[in-house]
Amino acid sequence: MHRIEKGCRLGSALRLSNNPGVDALVVGCAGFGRDDDEKACATRRGLFELADEWSQRIRKEVCRRRVDEPSPSVMAARRPGHVSGDNDHVGAGLLCGWESSRGQSVQSWPNRRVTLAPWQEKPAKKGGAVGKATFPKTFQSIHPRDLLANYSSLVRPVKEPNARFRVTVRFFLQQIVNVDEKNQVIELNAWLKYVWYDYRLKWKPDNYEDIGSVRFSSEDNVIFQPDVLLYNSADKSFDSTYKSNLVVYHTGEVNWIPPGIFRASCRLDVTYFPFDDQSCFLKFGSWTYHGYALDLQLDTDPGMEPQVDLSTYIPNGEWYLKSCPATRKENYYECCPEPYPTVYFWLNIRRRTLYYIFNLIIPSLLISSMTLLGFCLPAYDMAEKIGFQTTILLSVCFFLTVVGEMTPPTSEAIPLLGVFFSTQTLLVSISTAFTIMVLNIRYRQPANHKMSHLFQRLFLVWLPWLLMMRRPEHKLLKNKSIKIKNKEILEDECIQCIGIDVIENGDQYAYKTAEELFKPEPLFAEVYQIPVDRLGLERKVGEGIFPMRRCTTVKNKRNEQYDKYVQKCVELLGDPDSGEYDEAALVVINYYKRIHARLKYILEKMTKHEREENLRDDYRFASMVLDRLCLVMFSFLISVCIAVIFMSPPYLYA
């Protein structure tokens, strides 16, 4: 019973020391009284003595550490997860303890893994006696007090006060997450790698179970950390990096690799959007230390130019990464004589244009080309022609709205794509205005409009000749267009306009030509024999030889001959003294004169109607000429605009 009570007290003591794993050493505490074998009792006696000795040691160590109050930095370092080694048996807390016979890990303190040192039994002597158990020499483990003794995280780790503390930085780009043109922000997924040396964090791995590195939390500021920040950060918390652990090697080298989503301000020039190249940078530097206190340098490979590390880069579908150099600058300010070093990581990116070409540019070009088809429609239906042009104008305005939502609201530069759509909108608007003008000319009436000579020459003579348009049954002359109706060209047109022969030969050429055309008529032959004035210029001084208002036609000459003949007949038949006097013939002549007057009136009406119809045809033809002129003009303008706009950017496809 005494042994049972002793064993139970030992187990309780071990539990009070917060070492539940030591219970494995208490073998059969409840069954000691049932075994009367002396040999077994001797063995258990040795075990109890050994357990009692270790229990006293543990209690002393626990009490000593409870009494001993370490510094605040040591207390922070003794929290779980602050110090760790390379081996699996090294935990996050104090590396000390002992190991069971089977090498099992037990708990020395709450939430702190330790490894128990192995122990062995001496060989049993003859006669069944068991020797006293002995322990080999244990290894010394790294304790936070060993590394952080007299350590202050507020002091630079340099031996001389005026010495520069050197920190190298490297930027690992993972992915271009987003380029926000509206907010002028670029978003990146990247890592930073800081490397520096702290001479106060050195140890010999041989003395500490070959432990070559330990880790400290960066959130508690246990050791010194350089205050390097992203100067042009656009994040809400400013510093968007994840506070990862700091890895301290036995040589004093400290590595800190904080990942993060970096949002940096970047001036994006959208002049050539979407064929634009952008250049953004990330500026890192110390926030409080100048260059003489903290020397920030770029971490580069030997023989290589400083640049962003792209070993783990994932290409972006919208942006092509051209180059990513890194530079270091030292800035001097008026307030301070010390330099302030900063490092720049540049990102030269180029926008991929395939999306914009197939979704914006090609559809807009097709819609703009349909503007030209609007001038090919006949001007007979007013509603269809205007409705077609208006629909095209609304479509181009819709694309212009889409482009306006994609570009930032800035007045510094107008995007190239916006200029293109604005130009297309202007051309379509002008084409709609010209369509209305064409319809206005098409539906003009002679009763409301009088065609001027300039309009007639411009739209009926010069432009048709320039555009190589041929009008049926019409012939283009120098100043007018004449209508050809079989033989009437010599009757209806001015002698001066027929040709050079008429001008040189005078009226005789016209009479001769008319005589050949009307040979079957005997009356004209008799009339032609009557002596009359052949050349009646009747001009005033200064009016020229052929004034337009006295332009003489073959028909007028023939009618003049007929009138003179009838007047001569009336004089002969009405003179009683002449031998040709006949009253009946005078009555017949007067009757035919009345018939001639009525026919002349009907002819004038028909001539007026024909003249009005010809004038309507002239207006219709003028509208066709204007349509053809707009087709050629807008084809040229659209081609020139497209060529000028799309030849100005530095590239078209990327």
Side-chain angles (χ1 to χ4, degrees), residues 41 63 100 250 261 284 321 324 377 390 411 417 439 489 540 559 571 576-577 614 629 635 651:
C41 291
C63 295
S100 65
H250 66 91
I261 303 296
F284 291 91
L321 184 61
C324 47
L377 292 175
T390 306
S411 300
L417 193 61
L439 295 175
I489 182 173
K540 296 180 180 180
N559 293 335
E571 291 178 357
D577 297 334
N614 292 336
L629 177 64
S635 299
Y651 69 98

Side-chain angles (χ1 to χ4, degrees), residues 463-481:
L463 287 180
W465 174 80
L466 182 64
L467 299 174
M468 295 180 291
M469 297 178 65
R470 292 184 178 182
R471 189 178 181 185
E473 299 181 355
H474 284 76
K475 184 177 181 180
L476 292 177
L477 299 178
K478 184 177 182 181
N479 295 325
K480 63 183 300 185
S481 173

